Amino acid sequence: MAVATITLESSNGDSVVVSAPNDEFLDDDIILDTNPDGMYDTGFTVRTSSGAFEHGGRIIGESVPIREMVLPFWLTPASRPRFQRLWGTPGNFHKVKWHYDGPSGRRSLTLKLAKEIKYTTQDGFDAAISDDYHAVVTALAVNPMFEAAEDVQEWVNPGNFTVYLAATSGTFTLGYAGELTGLIPYNANAATVQAALEALSTLGAGNVTVSGNPGHWTVLTPTSKPGMLTVDGTSLAPVQLSITLGTLNFTITVGDQTTAPITFGSSATSIQQALEQLGNIGTGGVTVTSTLFGFALSFMTGPLNGFLVALFTGRSTAGIHIARVVPNPNTSYFDLWNPTDQDLWPEWEFDPATYWKFPDFAFGQERKWGRTVGQDAARMIVTPELTQLLSVMSDPMMDTYVSADLSNAAGLFNGVEPIYAVPPYTTTVTVPVVCAGPSGAKVTLRQRRFWSAESGLE
């Protein structure tokens, strides 16, 4: 008696059970014979290398070919046409799923015909007399390993934004999911900003929380109200940021305060120290870095908190943005685990966002890439800004980065790719995923698990 249920599921929509522990499958008159070949083992060849003065050889790898299966069936004249349609015909071959429901649960192969189906009759009699056919199918498995149930995990990013203003007067508006608020005073408190956002139909009362002080608010929105926060500050009067040039030096004015004279040719460190002496900046309130054309000033405190300013010391002024929205990063966690005897290659899908960070942990495999052990134990890959859905396939046999419109997504990553599989028999490891982007941006993790046998090996 059969100990597993075997089902053929064709891409033409038909499905038939060909073997099962009970006898009900016999009613369809498509019956798997008792001697299929290639079902239980896939052939492999070990490659070796030996030197001229070396006894024996060294194993340097193995070759696993595509699995070829020879499957015999018993049919009747009535069931033969259905059986033929399961597999298709030249020019229209179908993919056929071979589902093996045994002691280890369902494991499947995807098959396509490799040769013409050979039909014979019992003892050479005409099928009209013996009322049966013997059909031998030779098929190739698209992947030589049996695929078990796929694990799918998802997470949706909640809205988490910071609004920065660098203004001394005027009004601004906020937008969410394409709808704009009324005019909001530049020095509004958090409650006023929250009320303006709650008046939007894209949010509504109770669906937004605003905290912070005038000019620096944090806005939280739920995943049930997807959207991106925007700001329009064209009606604001900007905070003064200017450079006054002297004969041998210059000064920088931020708001109503001015630095001591700074010598031309001063380093980024000297400029930073001069700015930190201002009462509205303070120690640690700004970082200054050299650029090709001058300096970049990044403010963490004061009237320009949250702004990056380009400083050109050969000019008398430096322009700034008056208002900006920054999506703050949120972190969620996914479970990676691999109970199989084969490598597992995670597959990711990312919605549009300012950026995502996703894991490519090494699991102790750094030496395969000539890297120090432990160097990539918590390796994370950062995406560029995404304007469309991105698929990431870590399997090296697949295209790694595929955008929804099939444009050149790989070129945006500057050669950075996932390189590590989850090794066989890896127990659960919790890994982070980070998103900075709109509320409602979703990430999906798919773990396709493959086994070298139809059952067992746990």
Side-chain angles (χ1 to χ4, degrees):
M1 177 178 292
V3 295
T5 298
I6 298 175
T7 307
L8 297 181
E9 180 185 352
S10 174
S11 57
N12 74 350
D14 195 7
S15 177
V16 60
V17 176
V18 297
S19 181
N22 57 49
D23 293 335
E24 295 178 4
F25 74 98
L26 300 175
D27 295 339
D28 285 316
D29 289 327
I30 298 177
I31 304 166
L32 180 67
D33 206 345
T34 57
N35 59 337
D37 182 36
M39 170 181 168
Y40 302 104
D41 297 292
T42 180
F44 67 94
T45 302
V46 173
R47 297 193 298 269
T48 62
S49 175
S50 59
F53 303 100
E54 182 180 7
H55 295 290
R58 291 171 286 116
I59 296 176
I60 59 173
E62 68 278 344
S63 174
V64 180
I66 292 177
R67 182 190 298 262
E68 184 176 55
M69 301 176 70
V70 180
L71 309 172
F73 294 89
W74 288 107
L75 313 172
T76 66
S79 65
R80 175 177 171 176
R82 179 187 179 188
F83 182 77
Q84 183 68 64
R85 288 192 298 269
L86 283 169
W87 297 96
T89 54
N92 188 31
F93 287 135
H94 297 149
K95 288 185 178 180
V96 176
K97 289 281 190 178
W98 172 277
H99 298 302
Y100 188 97
D101 293 289
S104 299
R106 170 165 286 194
R107 297 181 186 175
S108 305
L109 293 171
T110 299
L111 308 177
K112 290 189 75 171
L113 281 182
K115 298 179 182 179
E116 175 187 3
I117 299 175
K118 297 296 184 181
Y119 295 99
T120 59
T121 57
Q122 188 173 12
D123 298 326
F125 290 118
D126 188 281
I129 298 174
S130 62
D131 201 34
D132 59 33
Y133 281 101
H134 193 249
V136 178
V137 172
T138 302
L140 296 179
V142 175
N143 187 308
M145 305 304 170
F146 283 84
E147 184 170 5
E150 180 181 79
D151 176 75
V152 180
Q153 301 172 54
E154 294 180 345
W155 173 68
V156 180
N157 183 54
N160 184 351
F161 313 97
T162 297
V163 181
Y164 295 100
L165 299 185
T168 57
S169 64
T171 59
F172 67 98
T173 59
L174 293 172
Y176 194 80
E179 188 178 3
L180 298 178
T181 67
L183 297 177
I184 306 172
Y186 81 102
N187 58 353
N189 59 28
T192 300
V193 176
Q194 180 169 320
L197 287 169
E198 287 183 325
L200 300 178
S201 62
T202 51
L203 280 172
N207 291 316
V208 60
T209 301
V210 179
S211 59
N213 300 309
H216 184 188
W217 303 279
T218 297
V219 179
L220 303 178
T221 62
T223 58
S224 59
K225 297 293 182 178
M228 186 70 179
L229 188 70
T230 59
V231 63
D232 182 352
T234 53
S235 297
L236 295 169
V239 169
Q240 180 184 11
L241 173 69
S242 61
I243 304 171
T244 301
L245 303 178
T247 304
L248 299 175
N249 50 45
F250 63 96
T251 58
I252 302 174
T253 299
V254 179
D256 59 357
Q257 299 193 30
T258 302
T259 66
I262 304 170
T263 304
F264 285 121
S266 292
S267 66
T269 300
S270 296
I271 296 174
Q272 179 173 320
Q273 290 172 345
L275 287 167
E276 288 178 332
Q277 298 305 308
L278 301 182
N280 58 2
I281 302 297
T283 302
V286 64
T287 59
V288 181
T289 55
S290 297
T291 67
L292 183 62
F293 301 104
F295 300 92
L297 281 57
S298 180
F299 291 89
M300 284 75 74
T301 60
L304 297 179
N305 181 18
F307 287 85
L308 180 67
V309 180
L311 181 69
F312 302 97
T313 55
R315 301 183 180 183
S316 59
T317 60
I320 62 170
H321 295 290
I322 299 174
R324 63 192 291 250
V325 170
V326 176
N328 298 315
N330 295 310
T331 303
S332 185
Y333 295 90
F334 289 76
D335 289 334
L336 289 177
W337 78 96
N338 182 13
T340 78
D341 67 323
Q342 302 295 308
D343 283 340
L344 183 151
W345 297 96
E347 301 175 4
W348 301 92
E349 288 180 359
F350 299 104
D351 276 351
T354 304
Y355 68 82
W356 291 90
K357 293 182 181 180
F358 65 95
D360 184 37
F361 288 11
F363 296 98
Q365 302 172 97
E366 286 94 344
R367 287 185 176 177
K368 292 182 179 180
W369 296 92
R371 299 168 70 83
T372 304
V373 174
Q375 181 177 352
D376 294 335
R379 182 180 190 238
M380 299 287 286
I381 296 176
V382 182
T383 73
E385 183 172 2
L386 302 181
T387 58
Q388 56 185 303
L389 183 70
L390 176 71
S391 171
V392 180
M393 311 289 286
S394 57
D395 188 334
M397 300 303 294
M398 307 289 288
D399 289 335
T400 307
Y401 302 113
V402 180
S403 293
D405 67 355
L406 304 182
S407 59
N408 182 23
L412 303 176
F413 282 80
N414 297 318
V416 178
E417 295 198 352
I419 57 177
Y420 296 112
V422 182
Y425 304 116
T426 297
T427 55
T428 300
V429 176
T430 301
V431 297
V433 173
V434 179
C435 178
S439 172
K442 183 174 71 174
V443 55
T444 302
L445 167 63
R446 301 181 186 277
Q447 297 181 84
R448 299 177 62 191
R449 297 190 169 91
F450 293 92
W451 299 83
S452 61
E454 80 295 337
S455 186
L457 298 176
E458 291 93 343

